[in-house]
Amino acid sequence: MTKDTKNPPIDRVDGRMKVTGGANYFADFELPNMAYCVIVGSEIARGTITSLDTKKAQGAPGVLGVFTHQNRPPIPGWDATVGGPADGPPPKPKTEETYRILSSPKILFDGQPIAIVVADTYERATYAASLVKATYAKQAARTDLSKHVAEGIAPGGSGDYSRGKADAHQTAPVTLEAQYTIPIEVHNPMELHGILAHWTGPDTLMIYAKTQGVNATQNAMAQAFKLDPKNIHVHTEFMGGGFGMGLRTWPQETAVVAIARKIGRPLKLVMNRSQMFTLVGHRPYTVQTIRMGADQTGKLVSISHAATAETARYEDFTEATVNMTKFMYACPNVSTRYRIVRLDRSVPIWMRGPGEATGAFALESAMDEMAHKLNLDPIEFRLRNYTETDPEHNRPYSSKHLKEAYQKGAEAIGWSNRKPQPGSLREGNWLIGYGMSTGVFNAFRWEASARALLKADGSLTLQSAVTDIGPGTGTALTMIAHNVLGVPVERIKVEYGDTSLPKAPSQGGSAIVSAVGSAVFDACTAIKQALIELAVKDGGSLAGRQADELTLADGILSADKEPGKKVTVSELMQANNLTVIDRTKESKAGPDHQKYSVYSFSVHFVQVRVNPMTGVVRVAKAVSVADSGRIISPKTAASQMIGGVAGGIGMALTEEAVIDHRFGRFVNNNFADYHVAVHADVPAIETIMIDKPDPIINPMGAKGMGEIALIGFAGAVANAVFNATGQRVRHLPITPDKVMQKLV
Amino acid sequence: MNPFQFTRVTTPQAAISASTKESGTYFLAGGTNLIDLMKREVILPERLIDINKLPLTTIEKNVTGLRIGAMAKNSAVADHELVKTHFPLLSMALNAGASAQLRNMATVGGNLMQRTRCSYFYDHSMPCNKRGPVQAGPDKGKPNGPAGCGAIGGFNRMHAIFGASSKCIAVHPSDMCIALAALDATVNVSGPKGDRRIPFSEFHRLPGELPQKDNTLLPGELIMSVDLPTNRFADHSHYLKIRDRASYAFALVSVGVGLEMKRSDGSVHTIQDVRLAMGGVAHKPWRLFEAEQFLKGKEATEANFKQAATLAMKGAKSYGENDFKLTLAPNSIIDALKTATKTA
């Protein structure tokens, strides 16, 4: 990187557009002759449709078609596939069921689409959808994981892990065994899911989607319709929140594309809120058991971590729930086990933090419980088991400044006010408690490409297919380009979220600044080299100078040791008859990456207030510290962390999608009854960035931070509630009934 | 949502006569609940009478206290100087309800007419006795979905612990009505057979055998205003709402309390008069008459609050997931009394 100093805070480059309505989300697009469709969902969780009356709906005003398992247009790439997702490898072991939307009368989950009604307006489609009536042969549905934990199967591809002795905890001086449960959580971004499909020719397709990766959607549709990906154009510049639900193409999206082809009109689907609970994934209900042993000096002897999560009967969903336990602490004996149970439920998908957030709640709660048993401060206990090398892979961390993060966070929250004895701090009717937790997530660097175009007027355009789901990707890419080329921020334009642009991975896994940012860095570096070559070549304005004697800033290339000796970029390009310098670069991690464990770390601190009479818990103060390498854009980075805390408060205190297992159906599938944290739940949040570059991951030294903003937070709250009250809540969310104490 | 007729009226008389002409007719005020119910196909009206142009928004003093027009917005009532000064409990309860946006739309009359938030009532694939048509009324809305009570044996975290029946264990969701119940309000209605004054405790009803009927309004009756009698509770009022998040959530349990305190000597505070009502516990706002009787003339001590809470809980019955309310309710009564008497 040309300058290795902390970056200045710049405003979100598309902020003004977003708040003034200038940013177009998929549902904002209107096309001539566009039709609308509405999904009719199953009202049972398991069984078979015995009759489906669509006559009334067909005859309703404006209706253009009603599509069911009897007449769904073909999806040629799906026809011969069995089990698992149609666009992925078949699961091992084989699934017992296959789900290819509207292909069978069999019902595999509550809310499964049984019809898609198309009309000339959304309202007419909605009304007609209400006229579709089904009868079913019901079967008893299994939807309650807590009743089926013992039936877990080992999913393909993720074996059990162990090092040291398997039964070491049995002989440890101090032992702990506890079960931790997280309920079903639903991503619930404000923006509803859907798609707008437009067949622009017999074999050419334009799609406006709600996807975290336009290239991924392009490939999924190419596979489904047996088309060359080049014939499919996908556009998703902005997304009103994704949190992981847009990391795959959902079957109903593909069905809409098939129906659009059949009716010969552009077709838009915008799902309703209750459909967001069943058709676009969720964080799976997960039951975890931790067994931990330690000695009297506060050294961990052993940890075993077992997790069992729900999945569908037609697809296996797995995530890295137990991984953190393998490498987080210095501990000689560690074993982990991960199982899934196939239920009559729709398939889960990664939700922010994903499995790591689920696992961190268990591990970091257990660490707090053990610290209490050992009479140790929770930070001190973690420091006594701190490791500078990754004990899972026996290799160094690329960078780790977690000790500094503990110290800075502790200072900011006022950790010295914490009393080790629970229930010691009181203000009137309220008990005060402090809690902390660590978070960690892989810092990925996936392959990505980007294009940079420097014009003779000194302006710069950056291009990449990557979608911005909200973290401020455009802003970060702008900063990276600015740092390389010295082009003023306001003269940089970023074009993204479109398959016509250079390929990029889906936005997820906290990987985009690292992946796409590196490609932007490389493309801009190539332009800089081109400029320098023009300047230093024979007859050039800085002929004979060495590249490292030149500085490029604010559109001027100058010689460091010769004041006044300079040339503007415009002059340089004009002198060489260039209107634009255009470079595209593909970028990926180098071989060094494999020699290190590359992780981002976080520490969360909270102060809670608990009313022991009513069980009300309030997060009064939150401090989150990120150790994620060089911070590229301080403002959007802080915003990422703040968003993670808001989500973490929801995970800790309020979020739970509830099923009535007698029916296998959700009973709180709306925004009034499914409680995401609201402003009143979220206090002022202090974010602290360690902001030290990682020497390995990429030329910017920047690691991802989307996941670590959430991972661990719920544990910090649970630990603080324990410190305030002495009540250990191991089953999220921490609602008043779990905390209140009996008085009369 | 089904197709329906829409009529706008400008006088109460026109509203009343329009509503009695045909069945399946509903008054539309703020629409913050009715429109939801229509979208969820719980209510399928044939006709909506828009009463938003009725001149019923005045909030003014009258000889007995305060009169609040039925079409006054929740936010206008909560922010009104006379309400804040003389009936702070009402202001607190209103501000504890819904969100600022909803309070700006919702009316006093509409708030009285809110339907329960029971999940089974809202999902017409689930059993519910409340969705059926009310017999002998103008409401011949089509019953939608199977009969029975899904909440009994099901998800009943939010449900009643007092006055429920084997047909229905739903609760009334309003915060405002808890304050009105505590403050001895009267509901003024106008109908085809003339005007009536309904004491607040008689406005809402328990489910019994007819859970589809929330209140005692007669066919075609329109709420005109609510009267609040003058009281001496302004200095010692509190509305405590316990819910699953800090804002925009319905009450697990709420307590409305108004006290008139007398300072007998240097330190002891005697309760001269008291009103107590609870929300989130019954099919109607639940007045705690026995606890009130007990507390009158007593000192404001934790021991007395505990005894009052114990009396208030007589006859409580829980249904599984709401067992915690048997603890949360008395705890909340004590907490609210402590706060209102400033003895916390």
Side-chain angles (χ1 to χ4, degrees), chain A residues 61-114:
Chain A
V63 170
L64 301 166
V66 179
F67 297 91
T68 70
H69 65 277
Q70 287 152 343
N71 65 340
R72 194 257 282 148
I75 301 172
W78 285 9
D79 288 344
T81 62
V82 176
D87 54 358
K92 286 175 194 164
K94 232 176 87 191
T95 55
E96 56 195 280
E97 298 291 348
T98 297
Y99 171 57
R100 297 287 181 267
I101 191 165
L102 302 180
S103 64
S104 149
K106 227 177 194 184
I107 300 298
L108 304 174
F109 61 92
D110 165 39
Q112 177 182 323
I114 59 168

Side-chain angles (χ1 to χ4, degrees), chain B:
Chain B
M1 204 181 266
N2 61 319
F4 54 86
Q5 281 182 45
F6 183 86
T7 312
R8 181 168 283 159
V9 294
T10 52
T11 65
Q13 293 71 28
I16 292 160
S17 70
S19 80
T20 42
K21 250 190 284 182
E22 286 176 56
S23 64
T25 300
Y26 289 77
F27 293 132
L28 176 71
T32 57
N33 190 203
L34 180 59
I35 303 296
D36 278 355
L37 290 162
M38 290 167 65
K39 285 190 196 169
R40 297 292 296 264
E41 297 164 39
V42 177
I43 291 179
L44 302 168
E46 286 161 34
R47 220 148 86 98
L48 291 186
I49 312 293
D50 178 5
I51 56 171
N52 282 290
K53 298 285 176 205
L54 299 188
L56 300 175
T57 58
T58 310
I59 302 167
E60 61 189 357
K61 273 186 179 163
N62 64 6
V63 283
T64 55
L66 191 72
R67 172 162 291 183
I68 302 168
M71 293 303 293
K73 298 292 188 189
N74 283 189
S75 50
V77 179
D79 295 341
H80 199 277
E81 273 313 313
L82 288 172
V83 177
K84 285 198 289 189
T85 309
H86 301 291
F87 305 93
L89 178 61
L90 176 58
S91 193
M92 284 186 258
L94 279 164
N95 282 327
S99 65
Q101 293 89 335
L102 286 165
R103 294 194 293 271
N104 285 338
M105 288 297 291
T107 64
V108 167
N111 196 318
L112 290 171
M113 299 300 289
Q114 268 189 92
R115 308 301 306 273
T116 182
R117 306 300 299 205
C118 175
S119 312
Y120 301 91
F121 177 65
Y122 269 79
D123 182 344
H124 55 72
S125 79
M126 300 276 209
C128 177
N129 293 317
K130 211 177 205 347
R131 281 190 302 259
V134 177
Q135 286 144 22
D139 176 1
K140 299 229 172 55
K142 295 162 218 162
N144 208 352
C149 177
I152 296 175
F155 174 64
N156 52 44
R157 175 176 176 77
M158 305 301 292
H159 288 70
I161 52 171
F162 293 113
S165 75
S166 62
K167 292 274 196 295
C168 179
I169 62 169
V171 296
H172 196 267
S174 170
D175 292 296
M176 181 191 83
C177 289
I178 307 310
L180 294 182
L183 296 170
D184 295 311
T186 302
V187 184
N188 298 306
V189 305
S190 194
K193 291 176 185 161
D195 298 346
R196 284 204 300 152
R197 284 173 61 77
I198 308 175
F200 203 80
S201 59
E202 293 168 23
F203 184 84
H204 295 104
R205 56 184 297 285
L206 292 175
E209 290 299 302
L210 203 60
Q212 55 272 51
K213 198 164 158 57
D214 288 345
N215 56 56
T216 56
L217 282 178
L218 298 171
E221 279 186 332
L222 176 71
I223 301 168
M224 302 293 285
S225 61
V226 172
D227 286 347
L228 287 176
T230 305
N231 65 52
R232 294 181 184 180
F233 306 139
D235 290 340
H236 295 93
S237 291
H238 187 58
Y239 187 72
L240 174 67
K241 183 176 181 183
I242 308 303
R243 43 184 155 175
D244 281 329
R245 67 177 161 193
S247 177
Y248 189 47
F250 292 95
L252 296 166
V253 165
S254 69
V255 181
V257 54
L259 298 118
E260 185 185 346
M261 300 295 293
K262 196 175 121 191
R263 178 174 280 243
S264 13
D265 63 44
S267 59
V268 179
H269 298 264
T270 305
I271 297 167
Q272 193 81 355
D273 199 4
V274 58
R275 297 287 184 280
L276 275 166
M278 289 183 89
V281 294
H283 196 261
K284 61 185 284 188
W286 195 248
R287 262 292 279 276
L288 311 181
F289 291 110
E290 217 172 319
E292 289 174 8
Q293 274 309 315
F294 169 80
L295 285 170
K296 273 180 203 167
K298 297 278 192 326
E299 287 171 12
T301 63
E302 180 149 357
N304 282 331
F305 297 160
K306 282 187 179 177
Q307 205 161 336
T310 305
L311 285 170
M313 293 307 291
K314 278 205 314 201
K317 179 180 189 286
S318 62
Y319 295 86
E321 295 196 350
N322 69 350
D323 291 352
F324 70 93
K325 288 190 181 184
L326 301 182
T327 302
L328 181 60
N331 283 6
S332 300
I333 293 168
I334 296 163
D335 199 67
L337 282 166
K338 279 182 169 181
T339 306
T341 56
K342 303 182 171 89
T343 55

Side-chain angles (χ1 to χ4, degrees), chain A residues 36-43 49 51-55 57-58 63 65-73 99 101-107 111-118 125-126 128-134 136 252 255-256 259 267 269 271-272 275 279:
Chain A
Y36 299 79
C37 63
V38 167
I39 294 171
V40 182
S42 152
E43 296 184 339
I49 300 169
S51 74
L52 196 52
D53 180 4
T54 60
K55 258 195 206 129
Q58 303 263 21
V63 170
V66 179
F67 297 91
T68 70
H69 65 277
Q70 287 152 343
N71 65 340
R72 194 257 282 148
Y99 171 57
I101 191 165
L102 302 180
S103 64
S104 149
K106 227 177 194 184
I107 300 298
Q112 177 182 323
I114 59 168
I116 294 179
V117 179
V118 183
T126 302
S130 77
L131 302 175
V132 174
K133 297 293 171 207
Y136 307 90
Q252 62 273 12
V256 168
I259 294 169
L267 184 59
L269 168 73
M271 290 169 20
N272 65 33
Q275 290 168 344
L279 298 180

Side-chain angles (χ1 to χ4, degrees), chain A residues 613 660 662 667 676 681 741, chain B residues 119-120 125 150 157 245-246 331:
Chain A
M613 297 175 81
D660 183 331
R662 299 171 304 170
V667 288
V676 297
D681 295 291
Q741 293 157 15
Chain B
S119 312
Y120 301 91
S125 79
R157 175 176 176 77
R245 67 177 161 193
N331 283 6

Side-chain angles (χ1 to χ4, degrees), chain A residues 356 441-446 508-515 589 593 598-600 697-698 702-704 707:
Chain A
E356 287 83 344
F441 194 74
N442 261 302
F444 297 111
R445 178 175 170 190
W446 297 325
S510 305
I512 290 306
V513 163
S514 181
H593 199 107
V598 189
Y599 291 105
S600 287
I697 186 164
N698 54 42
K703 298 191 279 193
E707 322 298 329

